[in-house]
Amino acid sequence: MRYRTLGGTGIEVSVHCLGTMMFGAVGNPDHTDSARIIHAALDQGINFVDTADMYSAGESEQIVGKALKGRRDDVVLATKVHFAMGEGPNRGGNSRRWITHEVEQSLRRLDTDWIDLYQVHRPDHTTDLEETLSVLTDLVSQGKIRAFGCSTFPAEEIVEAYHVSERRGLGKFRTEQPPYSLISRGIERSLLPTCRRLGMGVLTWSPLASGFLSGKVRKNQPVDLTTGRAALTPFRFDPSIPSNAAKFDALEQLVEVADGIGCSLPELALAFVVSHPAVTSVISGPRTMEQLEGLLKRADLTLDDETLDRIDEIVPPGTDLYHPDGAWQPASLTDPTNRRRPLADRSAA
């Protein structure tokens, strides 16, 4: 396993990062089996583990904490904060009030004295960036976290955060965690170049496009829409929906590329992501030992220029054929009133 420096922090992390979203009630509820998977990953050279407070309502953090007993010093541990952790107001977001409370809960669940990388899981436009950066800077000074980053932030908000940090003398976001895959390449337009310019580490999620690139989904073959990710978002997998045609066409061509170089589609997908110069580490979230072994089987796979050129022909750089589940959308897109003048003011005369 190769290691890369995490966003100018001097911390060395494995190019494969173990994601733990599938450990707990939403995936693998067996704590002992989940711990076995974590131990196997560490034994294979992975030293980077990513979780979040909201994964199975804190259960994932508890599993990780138990699994790292006696091995904590050898692991770069990352977790996240933002999503609601209970009913009622002030139980989520990026405020000083919530982050100050929730970091203590994460430390308790993880059974550790410090978090190596504490990430803001999504933007929060009800909270000033200065407020968020200020409390995160304080947590570094207190020794509760070593560094902090963001997840699924647009490039413009990362730049804004950078300038707030510069003006106010606050710590900076050291990392960004965006979705990235063979069929979800939109971040190549501005996000990845921005992170490179600012010296930020990038740890990507959803390299298999929520299972679309797992090899189990194929064009002109029945798709089981009753289980797994397909059951959660059937509109993304249903071949009868016209907007999915381009994804299925690209899928078949990518399978041909994988076959041509003697690897599986998931192996191609992972090798593609880590080949980008802005990417530090790729997060993979196995639910079973078999899935972990499959992810690591060809970790040494190197894609040559000819292969990458062929991928660019199938899915051009900067193109999104698949919008990842859970990716944040700005209010400029989700709220029509931000795109439409009042009816009486829409005409030119």
Side-chain angles (χ1 to χ4, degrees):
M1 185 63 62
R2 287 183 175 175
Y3 300 87
R4 295 171 178 169
T5 303
L6 186 64
T9 63
I11 300 171
E12 296 288 320
V13 296
S14 50
V15 175
H16 276 279
C17 174
L18 181 68
T20 65
M21 187 176 72
M22 300 308 294
F23 297 153
V26 302
N28 187 344
D30 188 325
H31 288 207
T32 300
D33 188 51
S34 296
R36 285 179 55 247
I37 296 169
I38 294 172
H39 294 159
L42 300 183
D43 291 342
Q44 289 291 316
I46 289 178
N47 77 334
F48 197 12
V49 178
D50 178 78
T51 187
D53 58 357
M54 57 86 66
Y55 292 167
S56 293
E59 187 180 4
S60 172
E61 286 188 327
Q62 293 173 349
I63 292 170
V64 170
K66 288 189 291 186
L68 296 185
K69 286 280 190 180
R71 306 184 73 165
R72 176 66 185 90
D73 288 344
D74 298 322
V75 173
V76 179
L77 180 57
T79 192
K80 298 182 282 293
V81 63
H82 166 82
F83 287 106
M85 293 291 288
E87 299 294 332
N90 302 313
R91 299 286 296 170
N94 302 343
S95 68
R96 173 177 285 273
R97 185 181 194 275
W98 177 245
I99 290 175
T100 300
H101 171 273
E102 191 58 12
V103 71
E104 299 294 344
Q105 303 309 307
S106 286
L107 288 167
R108 176 182 57 81
R109 288 188 293 260
L110 291 165
D111 194 17
T112 185
D113 294 328
W114 82 96
I115 295 163
D116 293 290
L117 178 64
Y118 199 45
Q119 300 156 102
V120 180
H121 213 155
R122 293 292 187 274
D124 174 11
H125 287 157
T126 69
T127 305
D128 287 344
L129 273 169
E130 182 176 348
E131 174 89 357
T132 302
L133 293 167
S134 176
V135 63
L136 293 171
T137 301
D138 288 346
L139 292 178
V140 172
S141 298
Q142 294 163 13
K144 294 178 180 179
I145 66 176
R146 299 294 186 254
F148 55 86
C150 52
S151 175
T152 321
F153 271 49
E156 61 270 21
E157 296 209 21
I158 289 175
V159 171
E160 181 183 355
Y162 177 83
H163 287 298
V164 170
S165 297
E166 289 279 292
R167 290 197 306 270
R168 301 301 187 187
L170 300 172
K172 298 182 176 67
F173 283 139
R174 292 293 194 169
T175 61
E176 158 62 12
Q177 185 179 136
Y180 187 39
S181 73
L182 284 164
I183 58 174
S184 182
R185 302 183 60 177
I187 64 171
E188 294 172 345
R189 289 182 175 272
S190 59
L191 180 66
L192 291 182
T194 296
C195 289
R196 288 192 77 185
R197 285 197 295 272
L198 298 180
M200 295 174 63
V202 175
L203 30 156
T204 66
W205 56 271
S206 199
L208 301 185
S210 299
F212 195 83
L213 299 173
S214 67
K216 298 178 180 179
V217 179
R218 296 295 298 271
K219 184 178 180 181
N220 298 325
Q221 293 184 13
V223 178
D224 185 355
L225 301 176
T226 63
T227 61
R229 292 298 184 97
L232 297 175
T233 53
F235 64 93
R236 300 187 188 279
F237 293 82
D238 190 345
S240 68
I241 298 177
S243 60
N244 286 338
K247 290 191 298 188
F248 278 94
D249 288 342
L251 176 65
E252 293 305 306
Q253 295 179 72
L254 292 169
V255 169
E256 291 180 3
V257 173
D259 289 343
I261 62 174
C263 71
S264 68
L265 182 59
E267 290 165 355
L268 178 73
L270 289 167
F272 167 77
V273 171
V274 300
S275 69
H276 196 289
V279 173
T280 308
S281 188
V282 56
I283 300 171
S284 300
R287 180 176 52 83
T288 66
M289 186 69 75
E290 180 183 13
Q291 290 175 350
L292 174 68
E293 292 170 349
L295 293 168
L296 297 179
K297 184 179 179 181
R298 294 292 303 277
D300 61 346
L301 178 62
T302 300
L303 304 184
D304 59 22
D305 289 343
E306 182 180 355
T307 301
L308 292 172
D309 288 344
R310 178 65 184 126
I311 291 172
D312 287 349
E313 292 172 0
I314 298 168
V315 184
T319 300
D320 273 334
L321 297 181
Y322 179 94
H323 186 70
D325 298 338
W328 180 82
Q329 290 290 295
S332 58
L333 299 181
T334 59
D335 184 353
T337 62
N338 288 322
R339 304 190 306 275
R340 301 170 186 174
R341 290 177 180 270
L343 185 61
D345 192 33
R346 290 180 189 172
S347 64

